[in-house]
Amino acid sequence: MVRTSQATTFSSLPYFFDRGAHGTAQPITERINERHPMKPHRLTLTNALVMGYGLDKQIHNIYDPRPATQSELEAYHDHDYIDFLSRVTPGNQAQMRQMIDIFNCVEDCPIFADMFDFCRMYTGGSLAGARKLCAGTTDIAINWSGGLHHAKRGEASGFCYVNDIVLAILELLRYHPRVLYIDIDIHHGDGVELAFYQSNRVMTVSFHKYTGDFFPGTGKLDDNGNGSGKHFCLNVPLQDGIDDDMYLSIFKTVIDDTVTAFRPSAIVLQCGADSLGCDRLGAFNLSIAAHGECVNFVRKYNVPLLVVGGGGYTIKNVSRCWTYETAVLVGATIPDELPATVYDSFFEDSHWKLHPPLTGKVDNQNSVTSLQRITISIRNKLRYLQGAPSVAMQEIPPDLFGLMGDEDRNAEERDEESRGTGGAGESRVDSSNARNEFFDADNDNDHDDEDTLPAPAARARSTRRVARGTRRTRGRGRGRGAGPSASTREEGDEEADEAVVSPRRGRGRGRGRGRTKGKTMDKDKENSNPTADSSSGTPMDVDIDV
């Protein structure tokens, strides 16, 4: 079978420049120990397939987000740890051996060239997606390079150096009262769970393999939060070999019950592909179609959604999975025949199919009874929620622009300053222009021109990913209505902020002594002066939307 190659990449970032002899992107894979199971090259394969299918033309906006700043990273991580990541290199690691041991940058988390830049890049993508969701300019944001859910506040873990998920959730919490985190990686999302273990504004739900000794060794069914976060942490421990039907059954049941009880105003979905069958480190029997159905099920809730990558160590299956899920998120149908790319050799053994057989390789050690026991336990925990938690109305924290005064701003940052976070970068970056897509030695005439970017492409059809045209108003704290609602601040309300001062409320939203006193005063006034206007001087419980 003869196939024609195309030499293009999905992003203009340095990690995906076409540096090979035939225009083949060669990102940081070569900088990591070749025996290490994590291969960032999977992102390049994903990009090639996404563009080969033409899905980039159905994504309304594609961004090259700026790297996260050190201040943004320290919104969760310890200063000493981030400072260490910024200084350690393969050349000086011998002199920093003690700090390397302290911060757990050994074995699973090796030191490699440009490691800190790598962390800033994938974290910047997740933060950019969260900002777009907060501004209401998109319904779904995707960052397949993110999803590194094992990193802790002060140490690396499981090839996760910076926890971009925690930082993105913290950004979402600036505007959204409740965030639901869903993890379908085969490994327990311990870093995210630990970060919000005592919070009732973030519900973490992790579907993972648990045997007690399988990495990271956490995620028991009985682990369910602490303090105000009690019952806001749900774990679904599974055994080897679970198949599509069992997995989808428990996934849909648990997620539907959780969304109904918690009523999230935003969702973060970690799509680790090591839960697929035939993964180097995994032991499940999931197909790409079933993995994608989990994504589609969450998408249908029509809640602002941030989708990130995660684990996945058979790179040809990871790239196929994330390509298929990109199609699911944009509402497109793609054929089973893979498009021709320069990476055809990776998929030759499966005859270039999008959905190769991945199931039935491991014996299913799960039973219907064990899954029912897990479902019943989780439903019992959800009963303790007694309605979604509310958030007091308060001033929204200032944006992060002030924290970056000493740093050079790139084009997108300048765009954010002039047009606001929600409108920044709305012009499409056309993949077929100004990309240095193909390097042809001395005959190369393709040069980028930053001053001449193509105009935004006309949007062919409306999907749920289209940026919302209406601005959102701030929520009142306690969610109302049948479904979850986003709670954001209207950006053009400076005059209202100066004229209106939020009343200080002592107990809840005015219920209790304050309202009782108002009713007593009203009755006394009617008895003393029946003809007086009852509307003057009577305390009222007023809800103010700002």
Side-chain angles (χ1 to χ4, degrees):
M1 180 175 181
V2 179
R3 295 168 63 85
T4 304
S5 297
Q6 64 179 30
T8 57
T9 54
F10 189 51
S11 173
S12 62
L13 297 177
Y15 292 113
F16 301 102
F17 280 163
D18 293 327
R19 300 180 302 204
H22 302 288
T24 305
Q26 297 175 354
I28 66 171
T29 306
E30 69 274 8
R31 307 180 190 181
I32 303 174
N33 187 333
E34 62 180 11
R35 297 182 179 180
H36 196 283
M38 173 62 85
K39 304 295 183 185
H41 190 63
R42 62 194 183 152
L43 298 173
T44 307
L45 268 65
T46 301
N47 295 337
L49 293 179
V50 166
M51 294 191 68
Y53 275 119
L55 295 174
D56 59 308
K57 298 177 178 61
Q58 301 188 48
I59 299 174
H60 288 163
N61 290 290
I62 299 174
Y63 301 100
D64 285 341
R66 61 172 175 81
T69 67
Q70 182 160 338
S71 297
E72 288 173 333
L73 299 181
E74 291 176 6
Y76 172 63
H77 292 284
D78 293 337
H79 169 76
D80 291 344
Y81 175 56
I82 297 300
D83 181 66
F84 161 77
L85 291 179
S86 68
R87 293 188 294 112
V88 68
T89 66
N92 66 11
Q93 61 179 331
Q95 292 77 27
M96 303 181 69
R97 176 56 56 187
Q98 183 177 0
M99 298 185 69
I100 288 175
D101 293 337
I102 292 175
F103 296 120
N104 197 35
C105 288
V106 295
E107 297 180 355
D108 287 346
C109 304
I111 304 299
F112 58 92
D114 297 331
M115 181 177 69
F116 189 57
D117 290 338
F118 171 69
C119 296
R120 294 177 63 214
M121 289 303 305
Y122 74 74
T123 303
S126 296
L127 286 174
R131 287 194 294 266
K132 297 297 180 184
L133 293 174
C134 288
T137 58
T138 188
D139 292 328
I140 301 175
I142 306 173
N143 176 27
W144 292 128
S145 67
L148 279 71
H149 57 170
H150 293 306
K152 309 301 190 300
R153 181 187 296 271
E155 68 176 33
S157 178
F159 198 74
C160 301
Y161 300 87
V162 172
N163 200 316
D164 63 294
I165 300 174
V166 171
L167 292 169
I169 291 176
L170 290 175
E171 182 70 20
L172 290 171
L173 289 175
R174 289 158 48 83
Y175 294 88
H176 293 278
R178 294 174 300 280
V179 177
L180 172 61
Y181 171 68
I182 304 172
D183 192 317
I184 58 175
D185 195 292
I186 196 173
H187 299 97
H188 177 232
D190 56 334
V192 182
E193 178 186 284
L194 180 62
F196 300 106
Y197 203 66
Q198 301 187 59
S199 172
N200 63 357
R201 293 184 60 193
V202 179
M203 171 78 79
T204 60
V205 185
S206 179
F207 299 81
H208 53 271
K209 174 182 174 179
Y210 178 77
T211 61
D213 55 359
F214 185 73
F215 183 85
T218 56
K220 296 187 297 183
L221 181 62
D222 296 335
D223 294 340
N224 59 353
N226 190 28
S228 60
K230 188 74 169 178
H231 308 298
F232 287 87
C233 166
L234 302 179
N235 286 301
V236 183
L238 304 170
Q239 302 300 311
D240 287 349
I242 190 167
D243 57 25
D244 289 354
D245 292 338
M246 280 188 171
Y247 193 93
L248 289 176
S249 176
I250 193 169
F251 179 85
K252 293 181 177 181
T253 300
V254 169
I255 294 302
D256 195 54
D257 290 345
T258 302
V259 170
T260 301
F262 184 61
R263 292 191 295 170
S265 53
I267 297 177
V268 177
L269 176 60
Q270 197 265 18
C271 299
D274 48 6
S275 51
L276 293 173
C278 300
D279 189 79
R280 284 181 64 185
L281 302 184
F284 285 175
N285 282 325
L286 291 188
S287 66
I288 291 175
H291 203 273
E293 177 58 26
C294 294
V295 176
N296 190 45
F297 185 78
V298 175
R299 178 188 67 86
K300 290 181 178 179
Y301 282 108
N302 294 322
V303 175
L305 176 62
L306 174 61
V307 179
V308 294
Y313 307 98
T314 302
I315 61 175
K316 57 186 178 182
N317 293 336
V318 174
S319 59
R320 281 188 276 224
C321 179
W322 288 348
T323 300
Y324 175 69
E325 289 170 354
T326 300
V328 168
L329 291 168
V330 302
T333 301
I334 55 178
D336 190 36
E337 181 75 15
L338 291 177
T341 70
V342 295
Y343 306 106
D344 279 354
S345 59
F346 283 90
F347 310 105
E348 185 175 2
D349 59 345
S350 61
H351 302 287
W352 303 283
K353 297 297 182 182
L354 179 63
H355 296 280
L358 302 177
T359 60
K361 307 298 183 182
V362 181
D363 292 337
N364 191 350
Q365 299 180 17
N366 300 270
S367 65
V368 175
T369 302
S370 65
L371 298 184
Q372 287 178 343
R373 180 177 61 86
I374 294 173
T375 302
I376 292 173
S377 176
I378 288 177
R379 284 177 170 171
N380 288 336
K381 295 177 183 179
L382 292 174
R383 291 195 183 105
Y384 287 98
L385 296 188
Q386 297 179 352
S390 61
V391 180
M393 185 168 61
Q394 58 187 349
E395 186 71 17
I396 295 177
D399 288 336
L400 296 173
F401 299 132
L403 300 178
M404 304 185 299
D406 298 332
E407 301 189 24
D408 294 333
R409 289 171 167 78
N410 61 20
E412 185 182 16
E413 290 178 66
R414 292 193 295 271
D415 201 13
E416 288 180 0
E417 290 180 343
S418 60
R419 301 174 59 189
T421 303
E426 290 302 329
S427 59
R428 169 184 281 276
V429 180
D430 195 331
S431 60
S432 62
N433 292 315
R435 283 285 184 167
N436 276 345
E437 294 170 344
F438 184 76
F439 179 72
D440 195 17
D442 295 335
N443 297 322
D444 179 42
N445 293 318
D446 188 12
H447 299 284
D448 284 339
D449 187 355
E450 296 180 354
D451 297 328
T452 57
L453 288 177
R459 299 184 177 181
R461 59 189 182 90
S462 175
T463 65
R464 66 183 305 277
R465 290 177 53 84
V466 69
R468 294 193 179 106
T470 58
R471 295 185 297 179
R472 301 177 181 175
T473 58
R474 284 193 64 201
R476 300 179 182 174
R478 185 184 297 275
R480 292 182 177 179
S485 61
S487 173
T488 61
R489 180 176 183 177
E490 191 163 330
E491 298 175 353
D493 236 358
E494 290 84 355
E495 295 179 4
D497 288 342
E498 296 175 0
V500 179
V501 179
S502 300
R504 299 177 65 183
R505 300 182 179 179
R507 299 182 58 180
R509 299 182 57 207
R511 298 184 179 88
R513 294 182 180 178
R515 181 171 288 186
T516 304
K517 183 176 180 181
K519 293 180 179 179
T520 305
M521 292 176 63
D522 196 359
K523 291 181 180 180
D524 294 341
K525 189 163 186 176
E526 289 179 0
N527 294 334
S528 61
N529 188 8
T531 61
D533 186 0
S534 60
S535 64
S536 61
T538 303
M540 299 178 64
D541 184 23
V542 180
D543 287 333
I544 301 174
D545 285 343
V546 295

